[in-house]
Amino acid sequence: MDLAQLQRQLVDYKTSLYHEDFLDEQFTQLQELQDENNPDFVVEVVSLFFEDSDRLLNELTKALEQQSVDFKSVDAHVHQLKGSSSSIGAQRVQKVCIAFRNYCEEQNVEGCLKCLQQVRHEYSLVKTKLEFMFQLQQQILSAGGSIPM
Amino acid sequence: MVLGKASSSSLSMKSDEDVVNNNNNLRVLVVDDSPMIRKLHDMYLKKFGLEVQVAENGKNAVELFRFGASFDLILMDKEMPVMDGAEATKELRAMGVKSMIVGVTSLDSPYEKQVFMEAGLNYCFNKPLIADNISFLLQELNKNNNDKN
């Protein structure tokens, strides 16, 4: 694939991510913060998001396995995940977190477990898609091109 | 904080350079337990020409002040381990800290926001901050500083 084709592929891919609500305006803001002095800013922030989310999902799994679920603790973790996913524009993850918090309030274990499954799913989707997007960007940079915005 | 003679002459004619110069004198403390949010806010603020320091929780923030540090603006997260944002704000106000303290939270309920405000905040915004919020805060900070002269 030549450079122009790669760049077109990236633009189309990014557009589809926004179109399918995987990313929202907040991600655009993130990209606008990146500059020549901080060329890896977006990748760094997103990596922190992955680390944060992996940790939170583990905590949530443990908390929901308890005999007597501590809903306050579950809610606190979901709240964090909601915050960080909204900060990078991971809209679909954020949406599931909202529903998740409602089930916490109702102290509904079944509902919480369902949401945990959903949020894991949405998270793994957006993670895969972002990683692919970064790969495309890297290919373009290696071919001597620039990233189309 | 000391403003030199050059700044007072810029009261009537604010050029872009003056704004950046004013901002260069401003020190901001970002208090948040999420490394991702700290990185994000740090970047936003640096873009505006501000000097940024970070703290992981309310206790660390309070200790910075106890050891004699001073900041023009504190961005205070609410939910943090060890000491949360509301408690840290109360402590700082009790210590006589007059800096602008701005709550940054993903709290949904207006009631919870109000409780946080009552701890001694000047303003409370949703997480994450966007460029407009920061412009607004800088305007207010520069207003306060000009009033002092």
Side-chain angles (χ1 to χ4, degrees), chain B residues 15-26 48-50:
Chain B
S15 67
D16 273 355
E17 214 182 62
D18 286 336
V19 174
V20 171
N21 284 338
N22 282 340
N23 288 350
N24 280 341
N25 289 327
L26 298 175
F48 281 86
L50 298 163

Side-chain angles (χ1 to χ4, degrees), chain A residues 66-143:
Chain A
Q66 301 304 309
Q67 272 280 46
S68 161
V69 174
D70 179 355
F71 284 101
K72 237 186 144 200
S73 169
V74 174
D75 184 67
H77 289 127
V78 178
H79 172 86
Q80 272 198 54
L81 185 57
K82 174 169 172 272
S84 56
S85 58
S86 93
S87 296
I88 67 145
Q91 211 195 85
R92 280 159 68 143
V93 175
Q94 186 198 353
K95 283 213 168 99
V96 179
C97 288
I98 296 175
F100 203 152
R101 293 196 77 195
N102 287 338
Y103 283 121
C104 286
E105 219 174 306
E106 294 170 16
Q107 308 220 341
N108 180 338
V109 180
E110 280 280 350
C112 284
L113 286 169
K114 231 183 31 184
C115 278
L116 178 58
Q117 209 179 32
Q118 254 182 302
V119 89
R120 273 197 184 282
H121 176 69
E122 288 300 340
Y123 168 64
S124 100
L125 280 176
V126 80
K127 183 167 187 218
T128 308
K129 288 176 187 288
L130 282 170
E131 283 173 341
F132 180 66
M133 194 185 80
F134 290 146
Q135 232 174 57
L136 276 178
Q137 286 182 218
Q138 198 46 56
Q139 276 180 284
I140 291 171
L141 290 173
S142 304

Side-chain angles (χ1 to χ4, degrees), chain B residues 97-110:
Chain B
V97 171
K98 298 274 186 290
S99 318
M100 188 179 287
I101 307 183
V102 174
V104 183
T105 168
S106 32
L107 289 174
D108 305 307
S109 103

Side-chain angles (χ1 to χ4, degrees), chain A residues 53-70:
Chain A
S53 304
D54 287 335
R55 178 185 56 90
L56 288 168
L57 289 170
N58 280 338
E59 298 290 324
L60 282 168
T61 307
K62 273 196 271 179
L64 287 169
E65 279 171 357
Q66 301 304 309
Q67 272 280 46
S68 161
V69 174
D70 179 355

Side-chain angles (χ1 to χ4, degrees), chain B residues 29-138:
Chain B
L29 177 64
V30 174
V31 190
D32 200 301
D33 62 335
S34 158
M36 200 193 97
I37 296 287
R38 288 200 300 267
K39 192 177 182 77
L40 199 55
H41 286 163
D42 174 271
M43 188 62 161
Y44 262 124
L45 295 165
K46 287 210 169 100
K47 283 267 164 174
F48 281 86
L50 298 163
E51 215 187 288
V52 184
Q53 214 172 316
V54 297
E56 283 184 359
N57 59 53
K59 182 154 182 272
N60 290 357
V62 170
E63 272 170 6
L64 278 172
F65 276 88
R66 279 225 173 87
F67 286 122
S70 78
F71 297 94
D72 301 290
L73 171 63
I74 304 166
L75 296 180
M76 185 79 81
D77 180 26
K78 167 75 172 55
E79 315 279 336
M80 292 180 287
V82 186
M83 187 189 284
D84 79 5
E87 233 198 287
T89 304
K90 282 192 207 144
E91 282 238 13
L92 289 171
R93 292 304 189 205
M95 279 164 65
V97 171
K98 298 274 186 290
S99 318
M100 188 179 287
I101 307 183
V102 174
V104 183
T105 168
S106 32
L107 289 174
D108 305 307
S109 103
Y111 169 71
E112 284 175 331
K113 274 207 187 92
Q114 182 165 341
V115 171
F116 194 10
M117 280 290 293
E118 282 168 7
L121 299 177
N122 296 90
Y123 303 102
C124 192
F125 288 119
N126 279 331
K127 214 190 255 205
L129 288 181
I130 53 176
D132 283 350
N133 299 144
I134 302 182
S135 301
F136 168 77
L137 290 175
L138 290 178

